[in-house]
Amino acid sequence: MSESKPTWRELPKGAVSTKSSTEYETGDWGVEKPEIDHSKCTKCMLCHFYCPEGAIKVREDGYTEVDLRYCKGCGICAEECPVECITMVRKK
Amino acid sequence: MSDLTLREAARKPEAIASGHRLCAGCDESIIARMVLKATRGPTIVTSATGCLEVATTIFPYSAWNLPWIHTAFENAAANASGIEAAWRAMRKKGKGPLAKYETLDIVAFAGDGGTYDIGFQALSGAMERGHDFTYVLIDNEAYMNTGIQRSGGTPFAASTTTSPAGRVIPGKKEWKKPIDDIVIAHGIPYVATISAAWPMDVMRKARKAFEAEGPAFLHAIVPCTRGWRYPQEKTIEVSRLAVQTCFFPLYECRKEEGWPVYELSGPSAAVARRPESKKPVEEYLQMQGRFRHLFRPEKREDLIQSIQDWVDHRWEMLLKRVG
Amino acid sequence: MKKQILMGMNGDEASAYSAKQVNPDVVAAYPITPQTIIVERFSEYVADGEVDTEFVAVESEHSALSSCIGAAAAGARAFTATAANGLALMWEMTYIASSLRLPIVMAIANRALSGPINIHNDHSDSMGARDCGWIQIYCENSQEVYDAGIAAWRIGEHPNVQLPVMVCLDGFTLSHTMENVLTLPDDVVKDFVGERRFIRVEGHMGETELRLNPDAPLTMGPLDLQDYYFEHKMQQIEAMEQALKAIPEVDAEYAKISGRSYGFLHPYRMEDAEVAVLGLGSTMGTVRYVVDELRSEGVKAGLIKMRVFRPFPAEELVKTVGDVPVLGVLDKAASFGAPGGPLYEEVKSVFYDEAEKPFIADFIHGLGGRDTSPSMIRGIYENLTEIREKGEVPEKVSFVGVREQEGR
C-alpha cells in the first residue's frame, strides 16, 4: 500500500471518498476460512445474511459461496449454520 | 405493507460493500446490511460518528453504495431533518434530482452514544417536528469507537472503561436508560426493537419503518465482540440470548388513533405464551466478559438477582402494555 | 441599474427580506436576541405563503446548522441566522460546513459572547469564528445588510469558491434600528442569484455534482487519517484565495443592477489623509461623521471601512492605506492573552513585510454594547495625531470607553 498518494490539487473538492472499499481486501485479516459443504446445505441463506462483510453471496442455483478476498474468518457463518455444513479451517 | 421475501432480500445489491474495516464478527454491519435490504427505492443515509461510520469511510475508501453523509456525533437526527426538508422543498419547487422521488428512504444510523446521550436532543427535536425518516439506534451499549466507555445505554453492572469493575464498585451503577419508552412517549408512528438473530423480523420491521409516514425508530441490540468480550463467532448467539432472556424483548409499537399499540414479535411472543421457556438472564450474562466479575472470583448472586428483577419487571410492564 | 423601491427596515428585517427574495429551499433556525426578528419575520413569510421555503424550527443552534448542512448536502439552498452563544454552540459545525464545501448563508447579529451574559453588540462572536473557513462580510447599515444578503449566495456558490458565508450586522445598533433601504424588485433578485451552482467531483462511484443523489452516490464526511487531512485543508485555503478574486467579480455584477459598488474596503477621504482609522461595521458610520467634522477643522483625517474580513484582503489593504503615516485599528473584540485585538493583529502582520508602513495602534472599544461616541472617536484621532508628532506608538493597545483610573 505504498504507492504515491495524490497531491491536494488531485483530490476532489469536498473531501468526498474516491475509492470503493472493495479495493481494500480484508481477506488477509483472518487465520481461518469457512468451507461450505453444499451436499448438506439447505439453501436457507442465513450465512449470507449473517456475514458482517457481505462476503457470502447467494448463487443463481441458490447455494452460497464465500468471497475469500474479504472474509475475516470471524466464524459466525459456521457457528450459525442450522445444518452445520460450514466448517472453519485454518489457512495455510 | 409491501412484503419483502428472503429471496428478494438476498438478491438485492449490497448497500454496504465488503472491504470495510469493522472488527471481524461485528454486528453493526450485519444489522445495517439487513435494515438497508428493506429500503423501497431511492435512499439517503446519514451516520453519526461511531464505529460504523469510521470503519466504513477511511479515506479514500468508502463502503457505501448509496448517497451517504457523516457530519458529527450528536446530530444524525438533525442532519436527517435537513435532508428531509430539502427533499420536500425541492419536490414543491419541482427542481433538482430529488424532486422526482415520491418516496425517499432517509435513514439515520447512530450508536448509543449518539442517541441516548449526546444525540438525545437532536433525536427528540426531530421526532417532535415529525420529519419523515427512520432512525436506527445501533446499540452496542457503550462508546465503543473511543474505547468502550459507558453510555446511558450501558446496562447495570457492565464493566466499561469509565465504569470498570473494580475492588469497590462492580461496574456501572446506573440502569440502562429506557430509550424506547422515551421515544414511544413522543408519539411517533412506529417504534420497534430488532435483533440480527431474526433476519426476517429485522427486514419486516425496517420495511414498516420506511413506510411509516413520519419518524420511525428501530432499536437494534448490537453485541460487540471487543467491548462485551466474547468469541467473535458468537455474535448472533449473544444477540439471540438477549431476546430469549427478555433482556431485550422484540416488539413493535405503532400509534393507532392516538394510542400506542404494542405487539410482541415472534420469539418474545413465544415466551409470553410459554413463560417457562424464558431463559434466566444469567445465561446471557455468563457469555460476556463485561459481566465476568459477577461470576469470578465469587458469584455475585445479589447483583445477578438485581438484573433478573429488572428484566422481569420490564418484561411485566411490556406484557401489560401489550394487553 | 434597476428601478428600486425604498423601504424602511431594520437590519434584521433587511436580512429576512433579502432571504425572502432569494426564496431559499430550507431555513433551519433557532432564536437568539438580537437575531430573533430575522427568524420571526421569515416565519411570517412562510405562514403567508410568500416563500416556498421549508422552515425547520430546530431545537438548538447546533441542530440549526446541522440541518442546514444536511439540506445543503442534499442540494438545497439553506439559510440560517444566529448570534453570540448560538454561534458558539454551533462552532464545531461551522468548520464542518466549510470542509464539506456547502455554500450556506448565515446572518450573524453580532452580540457579545457570554459571560457574563450580555445581549448587546460587539464582534466577539464572529471574531471567535474567524478560523472556521467561512467568508465573513461586515455591514455598516441596513442597506449593506440587504445587499450582502443577496450577493452572499453568488459569492459562496461561485464555482471556484463553494464556501459558506456569514453576513454580520451589529446587534441592536443595526439589527433593531430602522433605516432607509433601497430594495430591488423580486424578479431582479431572482435573476441575479439564479439557481444554486454545483461543482462536479470524482467520487468513488463516478463523476457527479457535489450533492446527495441516489442516481449518483457520493460519500460525504469521511474519516481522514494523518495522510489526507492536511491536503483537504489546503483545498479550503485555496478556496479562500479564490474568493479574493470572486468577490470583486460578483460585486461588479451586483453594482450593475443596484448602482452600489462594494468590494473589500471602503476608503473615505484617504487621498491625503495623515491620520486614519480602520474598522468593521456600524461604528465606521460614526467615524465618518467625525472625519467630516475633523476635516472641517483642518485635520487631514480619513477612514477605511473593511467590508470583507474573510478572506482577509491583504493586498488591497496595503494599497488603500497607501502612505498614510498613522493608522488606528478599531477592534470590537478582545483576544485574551493576545498581543492585541484580532483585526489589529492581522493588519499589523500584513504590514510587517512592507517597506513603507504606517504606525499602527489598536483601539479596543464597544465591548458588550458599550457606546462609542463621536467624542471618543475624536479622542482616538487625537491619539493618532500625537503618535504622528512623536513618531512612535507609546501604547500599542488602548481600551476606549471603559471606566478606569488615571494612568491605568
Side-chain angles (χ1 to χ4, degrees):
Chain A
M1 295 262 175
S2 56
E3 78 277 5
S4 64
K5 294 188 174 143
T7 62
W8 65 267
R9 282 191 202 277
E10 291 168 323
L11 290 168
K13 292 187 180 152
V16 293
S17 307
T18 57
K19 293 186 193 185
S20 167
S21 61
T22 53
E23 294 187 40
Y24 192 96
E25 293 182 0
T26 51
D28 56 354
W29 284 28
V31 295
E32 291 182 330
K33 59 177 175 163
E35 281 182 357
I36 306 178
D37 181 356
H38 287 140
S39 69
K40 292 200 198 135
C41 172
T42 60
K43 302 190 198 176
C44 75
M45 298 187 293
L46 277 176
C47 53
H48 161 78
F49 288 98
Y50 287 153
C51 176
E53 317 310 317
I56 300 183
K57 309 270 187 238
V58 180
R59 295 192 322 213
E60 269 307 306
D61 59 3
Y63 291 105
T64 53
E65 63 185 11
V66 183
D67 191 340
L68 291 174
R69 293 175 297 171
Y70 305 105
C71 170
K72 292 170 183 162
C74 73
I76 289 177
C77 52
E79 176 77 14
E80 291 297 318
C81 175
V83 296
E84 292 177 8
C85 77
I86 306 181
T87 351
M88 297 304 291
V89 300
R90 197 136 181 114
K91 290 197 231 176
K92 288 186 206 22
Chain B
M1 190 208 76
S2 56
D3 276 322
L4 174 74
T5 66
L6 210 63
R7 194 152 300 273
E8 279 164 6
R11 296 215 182 299
K12 225 174 161 178
E14 293 288 342
I16 300 174
S18 305
H20 61 70
R21 295 185 229 175
L22 289 162
C23 298
C26 175
D27 198 34
E28 299 223 329
S29 49
I30 303 176
I31 276 284
R33 283 181 59 229
M34 280 181 196
V35 166
L36 292 171
K37 278 191 189 285
T39 53
R40 300 169 290 172
T43 304
I44 295 181
V45 174
T46 175
S47 287
T49 311
C51 284
L52 181 67
E53 168 266 321
V54 163
T56 53
T57 58
I58 300 173
F59 195 88
Y61 303 98
S62 170
W64 294 92
N65 291 332
L66 32 65
W68 181 97
I69 182 167
H70 153 258
T71 62
F73 190 9
E74 67 277 66
N75 62 4
N79 284 156
S81 298
I83 293 168
E84 193 250 17
W87 171 53
R88 283 198 189 292
M90 296 196 296
R91 263 187 81 67
K92 230 190 317 188
K93 290 177 174 170
K95 68 168 199 226
L98 296 184
K100 60 183 176 288
Y101 296 126
E102 265 176 52
T103 66
L104 179 65
D105 290 334
I106 298 169
V107 191
F109 283 100
D112 46 300
T115 305
Y116 285 84
D117 302 330
I118 201 173
F120 193 68
Q121 176 208 294
L123 172 64
S124 183
M127 292 194 295
E128 179 266 318
R129 290 188 302 272
H131 295 281
D132 187 5
F133 77 115
T134 296
Y135 191 101
V136 185
L137 162 55
I138 35 182
D139 188 359
N140 53 25
E141 300 188 328
Y143 305 151
M144 291 306 184
N145 197 232
T146 44
I148 318 171
Q149 294 92 9
R150 67 85 96 192
S151 79
T154 305
F156 175 78
S159 183
T160 68
T161 54
T162 48
S163 66
R167 280 190 291 277
V168 176
I169 304 173
K172 187 177 178 234
K173 293 179 290 184
E174 300 84 11
W175 295 89
K176 189 176 173 80
K177 193 190 282 193
I179 191 75
D180 303 319
D181 296 346
I182 296 167
V183 170
I184 289 167
H186 281 69
I188 64 173
Y190 186 74
V191 177
T193 57
I194 54 178
S195 153
W198 284 272
M200 208 55 233
D201 186 63
V202 173
M203 293 187 281
R204 183 182 61 85
K205 286 168 173 169
R207 176 55 66 89
K208 275 190 179 174
F210 298 139
E211 289 179 341
E213 279 169 25
F217 185 84
L218 295 173
H219 181 182
I221 184 80
V222 175
C224 167
T225 169
R226 280 294 294 113
W228 297 19
R229 303 202 292 283
Y230 59 80
Q232 60 196 21
E233 71 272 12
K234 298 284 186 191
T235 291
I236 300 295
E237 177 60 21
V238 172
S239 186
R240 183 178 294 122
L241 264 174
V243 175
Q244 292 170 332
T245 55
C246 299
F247 191 95
F248 190 84
L250 292 185
Y251 66 95
E252 298 164 272
C253 184
R254 295 183 314 279
K255 195 162 95 154
E256 264 173 33
E257 276 153 42
W259 290 94
V261 176
Y262 292 76
E263 195 180 325
L264 294 174
S265 320
S268 296
V271 173
R273 280 192 303 273
R274 288 182 59 238
E276 62 275 17
S277 67
K278 179 162 164 275
K279 295 190 178 175
V281 79
E282 200 178 307
E283 266 184 56
Y284 174 64
L285 303 173
Q286 242 169 353
M287 281 198 76
Q288 303 164 57
R290 62 180 175 153
F291 292 115
R292 182 196 154 97
H293 56 287
L294 300 180
F295 300 95
R296 276 186 282 282
E298 44 145 36
K299 195 169 181 190
R300 294 296 303 266
E301 296 282 5
D302 56 329
L303 295 174
I304 296 170
Q305 190 56 52
S306 294
I307 297 171
Q308 186 67 67
D309 290 343
W310 176 82
V311 168
D312 294 343
H313 177 67
R314 291 195 54 75
W315 177 240
E316 286 304 307
M317 288 202 302
L318 180 58
L319 289 176
K320 248 205 177 76
R321 287 171 184 156
V322 171
Chain C
M1 191 178 104
K2 307 283 174 172
K3 180 173 172 4
Q4 298 179 64
I5 305 136
L6 188 69
M7 295 174 76
M9 45 176 84
N10 60 36
D12 272 3
E13 289 167 339
S15 174
Y17 189 72
S18 61
K20 171 176 107 80
Q21 292 187 303
V22 170
N23 195 16
D25 302 304
V26 174
V27 167
Y30 193 80
I32 180 170
T33 311
Q35 151 269 41
T36 44
I37 295 172
I38 302 177
V39 188
E40 292 163 7
R41 189 52 49 88
F42 201 87
S43 304
E44 283 169 27
Y45 297 143
V46 173
D48 289 336
E50 293 185 56
V51 287
D52 300 315
T53 315
E54 280 289 316
F55 184 82
V56 188
V58 282
E59 75 294 340
S60 86
E61 287 91 347
H62 189 285
S63 287
L65 191 49
S66 298
S67 293
C68 282
I69 288 170
R77 256 194 183 138
F79 173 76
T80 188
T82 192
N85 288 58
L87 180 57
L89 186 61
M90 55 162 82
W91 189 76
E92 71 161 339
M93 301 313 298
T94 58
Y95 283 76
I96 291 168
S98 56
S99 74
L100 289 169
R101 308 299 291 273
L102 299 173
I104 296 164
V105 172
M106 173 159 68
I108 306 287
N110 289 116
R111 160 185 150 172
L113 285 170
S114 302
I117 181 168
N118 169 297
I119 61 169
H120 298 282
N121 166 248
D122 72 26
H123 292 158
S124 52
D125 51 6
S126 51
M127 278 299 160
R130 64 192 186 274
D131 289 342
C132 69
W134 285 54
I135 291 169
Q136 285 191 346
I137 299 172
Y138 285 80
C139 304
E140 183 194 327
N141 50 45
S142 294
Q143 181 70 64
E144 294 197 358
V145 174
Y146 172 78
D147 290 329
I150 296 167
W153 298 95
R154 289 287 308 278
I155 293 170
E157 292 171 10
H158 189 285
N160 298 339
V161 177
Q162 297 282 312
L163 288 175
V165 183
M166 280 182 207
V167 176
C168 303
L169 56 148
D170 287 327
F172 286 113
T173 318
L174 287 190
S175 67
H176 282 61
T177 311
M178 173 83 76
E179 289 188 72
N180 287 328
V181 177
L182 280 167
T183 62
L184 295 161
D186 288 352
D187 59 305
V188 174
V189 174
K190 271 207 179 40
D191 211 52
F192 178 78
V193 294
E195 290 297 330
R196 179 178 161 187
R197 277 156 205 77
F198 293 88
I199 51 169
R200 295 189 72 86
V201 291
E202 184 78 45
H204 69 298
M205 292 181 80
E207 196 242 14
T208 183
E209 283 187 338
L210 183 60
R211 67 198 297 170
L212 294 170
N213 180 2
D215 303 336
L218 287 173
T219 291
M220 296 189 182
L223 172 94
D224 265 358
L225 292 172
Q226 306 93 317
D227 53 351
Y228 281 102
Y229 182 85
F230 207 157
E231 281 71 23
H232 285 136
K233 293 295 117 181
M234 283 308 301
Q235 294 182 333
Q236 288 179 248
I237 289 169
E238 190 208 28
M240 279 289 190
E241 285 167 11
Q242 289 295 323
L244 282 170
K245 297 195 205 110
I247 290 169
E249 265 177 48
V250 175
D251 286 341
E253 230 189 281
Y254 193 77
K256 282 207 203 96
I257 55 166
S258 66
R260 291 180 288 282
S261 262
Y262 280 105
F264 297 106
L265 301 159
H266 299 167
Y268 182 71
R269 305 185 89 158
M270 284 296 291
E271 305 78 25
D272 61 338
E274 290 173 355
V275 282
V277 160
L278 169 78
L280 300 151
S282 62
T283 310
M284 300 316 287
T286 316
V287 176
R288 190 176 301 109
Y289 168 82
V290 172
V291 161
D292 282 342
E293 265 192 5
L294 291 171
R295 281 281 179 176
S296 71
E297 294 160 20
V299 177
K300 294 205 173 125
L303 73 85
I304 303 171
K305 183 181 76 188
M306 181 177 277
R307 173 177 172 252
V308 178
F309 180 71
R310 281 288 182 271
F312 194 83
E315 222 180 277
E316 183 147 335
L317 179 65
V318 171
K319 248 198 317 211
T320 310
V321 166
D323 53 13
V324 79
V326 191
L327 181 70
V329 178
L330 292 186
D331 263 307
K332 221 189 231 181
S335 179
F336 308 106
L343 183 57
Y344 165 76
E345 290 189 318
E346 305 212 356
V347 171
K348 214 164 174 200
S349 83
V350 161
F351 278 100
Y352 179 80
D353 293 316
E354 297 297 314
E356 298 251 330
K357 45 182 174 252
F359 290 111
I360 304 173
D362 191 17
F363 299 91
I364 295 178
H365 72 103
L367 301 188
R370 178 64 48 90
D371 190 38
T372 307
S373 63
S375 68
M376 286 176 190
I377 292 173
R378 257 183 181 274
I380 291 171
Y381 275 101
E382 277 159 24
N383 196 320
L384 297 176
T385 306
E386 249 183 71
I387 290 170
R388 181 160 181 264
E389 282 161 6
K390 288 206 178 105
E392 56 162 9
V393 186
E395 211 175 347
K396 294 192 184 61
V397 183
S398 5
F399 301 87
V400 178
V402 70
R403 290 185 297 277
E404 55 188 352
Q405 287 157 307
E406 276 290 314
R408 176 178 88 89

